[in-house]
Every structure is written in C-alpha cells, then in structure tokens.
Amino acid sequence: MDTVFGVKYDGGVVIAADQGNARSILMYQRNLDKVVPLSSHSAVGVSGPNADLVNFSEYIQKNIALYELSNDGMKLSTHAQANFMRGELAAALRRGPYQVNVLLGGYDESTESSSLYFLDYLASLQKVNYGCQGYASSFCLSIMDRDWKEGLTEDEAVAIVEHCMQELHTRFLIAQPNFIIKVIDKDGVKTSKFGADPADT
C-alpha cells in the first residue's frame, strides 16, 4: 500500500513518499522515511515490504559508497546508479527477489542536469519525467500528465506532488496522512517537508 511520487524539474528532482509502515491490518509506524539518499546528489524512493525496503536501499547505498571509496572518489552518475540497481534486481529475480518498486532521482554535477528513473521489482528500467509507484498511479498519473511541462521550477514540481497528495487524501480508500518530500538539486539532497519527523522514535 506504499506510495512514491517523483517529478523532474529544470535543475533537479522532487521525490515524495508516504511515511506509513504497515502490514495486513496493522500500522506499525507513521514516520518512516522511504526516500533514501544514495549519494550526495541522488536519492531513491522505495515502496514494498519494510524488510526488503530497508535491505535493498541500504545494500545499494553502501555499494555506491564503496565504489566511490575504491575509485579515488569518482562518483557514479545517476544513469550508472540506475543500471547498477537494475542489475542487482535482475540477478535477485532468480534466487530471492526483492519485492520493491523504486523511483531514483539525481543531479549530475558533470552535466549539470537532473534525471528520474522508474524501476519495478521485475527489473524493468525506464527514464521518465514523472512517475508513481503503488495504487497512487491510478489517481495521480493523470494529474502529472496534465501539469508537467518542460522548464518546470522547483516550486511548480513540489506543487504537483502536493496536488497528488491532496487527491489521495480525498479519493483513496486507505488513509496515508503523512508524506515526506525531498528535493535533489545542485546543492544535494534536502528534505523539503514531512508529515511526521523521521527522527522521532
């Protein structure tokens, strides 16, 4: 029942996710951070069971850090990170698949451009301008299709995401009261807004 949104704008990417950690009819927590920084200028929004969500995102995060340490500080581009994730998901399909669907966003300092990638649990990778994971796609892809345009600003991208959240609050059967929004741009990954502080335990 997880929800992840992503919107690319001119100079960055906005990624948002609900903060619920639930299974069956139980809600375990309402302040989970499902948007995980992978490097200084990239982050991934992950949906799926909590065990796979944490295991996969930390595995990718640590391997990207290891690559940087092993190669004299050379950073993987967002494109390279997306293909590394796709390779790991594809390899896992034959032994123990990760039940995760992700949106990867990043800003490449070398090209001064941003990019957003859609990746599902079957290791299907696609570069997109906007995307949704989960049931939210039934409600929000039409909003993104109508409102997204070339040359979007950060404020306009955040407004699209907030419009999608409002639509879910109005029409979606399952309550998702808290969302976290993160922005990735030339200054790195920063938290824009959250419904519940992930630091609260």
Side-chain angles (χ1 to χ4, degrees):
M1 297 300 176
D2 298 339
T3 295
V4 180
F5 307 118
V7 178
K8 175 181 169 287
Y9 67 89
D10 192 17
V13 179
V14 176
I15 296 181
D18 76 285
Q19 294 186 267
N21 178 13
R23 183 168 183 269
S24 184
I25 60 171
L26 291 177
M27 177 67 76
Y28 298 126
Q29 72 185 108
R30 294 180 184 273
N31 66 335
L32 182 64
D33 187 356
K34 299 177 187 175
V35 184
V36 181
L38 294 183
S39 67
S40 61
H41 287 77
S42 66
V44 62
V46 190
S47 70
N50 195 50
D52 279 357
L53 185 156
V54 173
N55 191 12
F56 180 72
S57 59
E58 287 191 355
Y59 173 73
I60 297 296
Q61 182 187 53
K62 304 312 179 196
N63 270 278
I64 288 173
L66 176 62
Y67 179 90
E68 193 173 329
L69 289 169
S70 303
N71 291 274
D72 298 321
M74 188 170 90
K75 294 184 179 181
L76 286 172
S77 66
T78 309
H79 179 73
Q81 291 177 34
N83 280 279
F84 172 65
M85 288 173 66
R86 197 209 75 80
E88 292 302 315
L89 280 175
L93 272 179
R94 272 77 183 176
R95 41 188 170 79
Y98 294 104
Q99 297 294 316
V100 294
N101 298 297
V102 308
L103 286 172
L104 167 67
Y107 179 86
D108 293 313
E109 295 173 288
S110 57
T111 60
E112 297 184 349
S113 62
S114 57
S115 51
L116 178 67
Y117 291 87
F118 178 101
L119 182 61
D120 68 12
Y121 74 104
L122 292 172
S124 171
L125 177 66
Q126 184 65 41
K127 188 176 183 180
V128 294
N129 291 319
Y130 53 82
C132 250
Q133 296 283 17
Y135 287 113
S137 58
S138 300
F139 303 92
C140 299
L141 282 178
S142 57
I143 294 171
M144 293 177 172
D145 185 55
R146 184 189 63 193
D147 292 350
W148 190 90
K149 61 182 185 292
E150 286 287 350
L152 214 62
T153 66
E154 180 184 329
D155 289 341
E156 288 171 331
V158 171
I160 291 173
V161 168
E162 289 179 337
H163 187 177
C164 291
M165 291 176 193
Q166 187 58 47
E167 191 71 11
L168 286 180
H169 289 153
T170 304
R171 304 202 181 278
F172 193 29
L173 172 70
I174 294 159
Q176 294 180 323
N178 296 329
F179 282 84
I180 187 165
I181 303 173
K182 292 191 180 180
V183 175
I184 305 106
D185 59 15
K186 66 181 188 311
D187 299 320
V189 181
K190 59 180 185 280
T191 301
S192 175
K193 296 178 183 174
F194 53 74
D197 190 347
D200 289 344
T201 54

